[in-house]
Amino acid sequence: DIQMTQSPSTLSASVGDRVTITCRASQSISNWVAWYQQKPGKAPKLLIYKASSLQSGVPSRFSGSGSGTEFTLTISSLQPDDFATYYCQQYNVLYTFGQGTKLEI
Amino acid sequence: QVQLVQSGPEMRKPGASVKVSCKASGYTFTSGTIHWVRQAPGQSLEWLGWINTYNNNIKYSQKIQDRITIIRDTSASTAYMELNSLRSEDTAVYYCAREDILTGHAFDYWGQGTLVTVSS
């Protein structure tokens, strides 16, 4: 199984900050990575697919990069609505999610 | 608009079975693959399996393949996930999600989730 190691597990930041979340795959997965945002009691929401493609309707302050084994999600200027938990997912071989990053104020 | 609407919360005793439904609307049901994902309390997401709603192909997670069954009813635009021999560690919110080729096979729409509680 492909493991996705996500860091940090918790991130404290303020409105307006630039933040980066990292995911490392246990083997090369090309660019088959997605990023999701989840708020308490809600289903995950797709933000980024194929490592760097922005899902329709998602604000441009979200961006993704990486290929192979190292991937990042960047939020350029945090807004109050962005405080949530973020998950990476690989879908190169079956499907695996990272452990999540809780972004808190 | 695309919607996936799941059945309501369930409570079962250990050893019992549960069946969760996922009704799709707003798109052609047979054009996509439906996945099932679960999330135990305070934990990350775990992929369980998928069904190709066009050709009925299925794939299960090796961890759970002996206890899970995923089917679809194209006339009702609904997918179902049944889990047998329930254990306390199966307590989780179960989600269905659509995989779409236009989003590079990521999961672009999700159901609202169904809480399954397993307790004696």
Side-chain angles (χ1 to χ4, degrees):
Chain A
D1 289 8
I2 297 176
Q3 308 302 316
M4 298 295 283
T5 303
Q6 191 173 338
S7 61
S9 54
T10 306
L11 182 55
S12 297
S14 303
V15 172
D17 284 354
R18 178 185 179 92
V19 298
T20 297
I21 299 168
T22 298
C23 240
R24 183 173 291 114
S26 57
Q27 64 188 70
S28 178
I29 54 173
S30 184
N31 64 344
W32 297 109
V33 164
W35 290 92
Y36 299 88
Q37 176 194 69
Q38 187 178 34
K39 295 184 178 179
K42 299 295 186 182
K45 173 187 173 184
L46 177 64
L47 301 175
I48 301 286
Y49 61 93
K50 288 187 75 176
S52 59
S53 296
L54 190 68
Q55 170 67 341
S56 176
V58 174
S60 59
R61 62 181 180 272
F62 291 92
S63 64
S65 64
S67 66
T69 61
E70 199 88 10
F71 303 89
T72 59
L73 172 71
T74 299
I75 310 173
S76 61
S77 178
L78 276 173
Q79 299 302 301
D81 190 49
D82 300 338
F83 292 95
T85 300
Y86 293 84
Y87 294 97
C88 60
Q89 176 205 29
Q90 71 80 21
Y91 49 105
N92 182 58
V93 177
L94 296 181
Y95 310 85
T96 317
F97 293 87
Q99 287 306 108
T101 294
K102 184 177 181 180
L103 180 54
E104 56 185 29
I105 301 174
Chain B
Q1 71 283 20
V2 173
Q3 279 193 299
L4 299 175
V5 179
Q6 298 182 221
S7 48
E10 303 276 9
M11 184 170 289
R12 294 287 186 274
K13 293 188 184 302
S17 299
V18 70
K19 192 173 186 178
V20 180
S21 67
C22 172
K23 183 171 177 58
S25 62
Y27 73 102
T28 302
F29 180 66
T30 51
S31 67
T33 295
I34 294 289
H35 294 258
W36 289 90
V37 176
R38 72 180 177 182
Q39 187 171 37
Q43 302 300 310
S44 180
L45 301 155
E46 179 186 12
W47 175 78
L48 301 177
W50 58 252
I51 184 165
N52 182 311
T53 53
Y54 175 72
N55 60 21
N56 207 31
N57 284 345
I58 55 174
K59 179 73 174 178
Y60 300 134
S61 163
Q62 204 163 5
K63 175 183 173 183
I64 208 165
Q65 64 182 0
D66 56 342
R67 298 194 294 128
I68 190 172
T69 303
I70 298 175
I71 63 172
R72 85 335 185 191
D73 179 347
T74 56
S75 67
S77 298
T78 301
Y80 302 88
M81 186 281 304
E82 184 170 29
L83 193 58
N84 304 311
S85 304
L86 289 168
R87 311 158 181 166
S88 58
E89 51 265 40
D90 294 319
T91 294
V93 176
Y94 288 74
Y95 294 101
C96 61
R98 185 185 82 159
E99 172 192 326
D100 187 51
I101 191 171
L102 294 178
T103 54
H105 302 281
F107 301 172
D108 63 345
Y109 285 93
W110 294 64
Q112 82 277 18
T114 296
L115 175 62
V116 174
T117 303
V118 183
S119 174
S120 55

